[in-house]
Amino acid sequence: GAVVSQHPSWVICKSGTSVKIECRSLDFQATTMFWYRQFPKQSLMLMATSNEGSKATYEQGVEKDKFLINHASLTLSTLTVTSAHPEDSSFYICSAPRAGAMYEQYFGPGTRLTVT
Amino acid sequence: AQTVTQSQPEMSVQEAETVTLSCTYDTSESDYYLFWYKQPPSRQMILVIRQEAYKQQNATENRFSVNFQKAAKSFSLKISDSQLGDAAMYFCAYLIQGAQKLVFGQGTRLTINP
């Protein structure tokens, strides 16, 4: 099956700094990728849709200036948490559907962010 | 707006027995996809089964099957011959085709008792 990777798998950063999380589709092209946030024992909350070659689309209530998304190529999307604060600590997951088959979505393994 | 509801926060079953997880959804669309995803302790999301709304036949994947009731907007997952490796969080999800986004239910934590 298709593989989506995320890097890093775990990151600790100090309050006020920025951290970048990468999401890569390893064996297929993805014109769209999705970023989710998951709090402990809760469901996945969609944050934004990353579109290759255009601006990301953010869900209501998500601060686009805090969570910067860049879809640099057909296999790479990055999420940058700017000026991170402890409340940004969470588990971030990306998913990538195959181009032309949006019902086939493949999830990355997730990134655990801890802001101290 | 489309919503997905899982009313069972936790379920438990004896190993080798059968368990059914419930899911209801709300939509005004006639054509859509529904999914069950499994999230084990590793937190990697794994697709368990997919159902296309236009198909009347319930989807099955080995020990996993669904009971899709389109008129009732119900989509339950049945796990037969439960195994210890089935222990996980299970999420029901709806695909918004136009926006190509997944809407997830709250999840059901499944425990398998040996």
Side-chain angles (χ1 to χ4, degrees):
Chain A
V3 178
V4 174
S5 70
Q6 279 185 244
H7 177 81
S9 57
W10 182 41
V11 59
I12 301 175
C13 70
K14 292 186 176 181
S15 186
T17 64
S18 296
V19 60
K20 181 185 290 186
I21 302 170
E22 294 185 347
C23 176
R24 292 182 184 272
S25 56
L26 298 185
D27 53 358
F28 66 99
Q29 293 182 336
T31 56
T32 301
M33 292 183 175
F34 300 96
W35 287 96
Y36 298 86
R37 184 173 182 176
Q38 186 179 31
F39 290 105
K41 299 185 179 181
Q42 293 190 22
S43 188
L44 281 70
M45 181 189 76
L46 180 65
M47 298 175 65
T49 303
S50 174
N51 303 297
E52 190 270 336
S54 64
K55 291 183 179 180
T57 305
Y58 291 83
E59 296 298 304
Q60 189 173 6
V62 177
E63 298 176 63
K64 58 183 178 183
D65 293 332
K66 166 170 272 299
F67 299 100
L68 300 180
I69 291 173
N70 181 34
H71 200 134
S73 74
L74 288 172
T75 59
L76 173 64
S77 175
T78 60
L79 168 67
T80 301
V81 183
T82 62
S83 186
H85 291 285
E87 57 265 30
D88 298 324
S89 299
S90 190
F91 193 68
Y92 293 87
I93 302 173
C94 71
S95 74
R98 282 186 182 276
M102 286 296 174
Y103 54 83
E104 291 186 20
Q105 292 207 21
Y106 301 94
F107 285 81
T111 296
R112 182 181 303 279
L113 170 63
T114 301
V115 184
T116 61
Chain B
Q2 291 86 351
T3 58
V4 177
T5 302
Q6 293 177 249
S7 59
Q8 306 155 315
E10 297 183 354
M11 292 282 285
S12 64
V13 64
Q14 290 296 124
E15 190 176 5
E17 295 192 345
T18 296
V19 64
T20 298
L21 307 184
S22 301
C23 172
T24 59
Y25 59 94
D26 188 23
T27 184
S28 58
E29 297 180 339
S30 59
D31 192 18
Y32 47 88
Y33 289 88
L34 294 164
F35 306 84
W36 278 97
Y37 283 93
K38 170 184 178 181
Q39 188 180 42
S42 67
R43 303 190 78 170
Q44 172 71 59
M45 295 290 285
I46 301 167
L47 176 64
V48 175
I49 202 164
R50 179 181 76 226
Q51 175 78 45
E52 293 92 329
Y54 68 88
K55 289 186 177 180
Q56 293 186 340
Q57 186 174 8
N58 290 324
T60 63
E61 287 288 342
N62 300 313
R63 298 183 294 108
F64 300 87
S65 62
V66 299
N67 183 4
F68 173 49
Q69 301 290 327
K70 190 173 183 179
K73 296 180 181 176
S74 170
F75 182 61
S76 61
L77 174 70
K78 185 172 80 172
I79 306 174
S80 303
D81 186 25
S82 297
Q83 300 176 1
L84 294 178
D86 295 333
M89 281 290 290
Y90 285 82
F91 293 101
C92 178
Y94 174 102
L95 179 67
I96 303 175
Q97 293 206 67
Q100 302 160 345
K101 300 187 290 189
L102 284 170
V103 177
F104 287 91
Q106 302 90 328
T108 297
R109 180 172 299 280
L110 178 63
T111 301
I112 311 296
N113 300 313

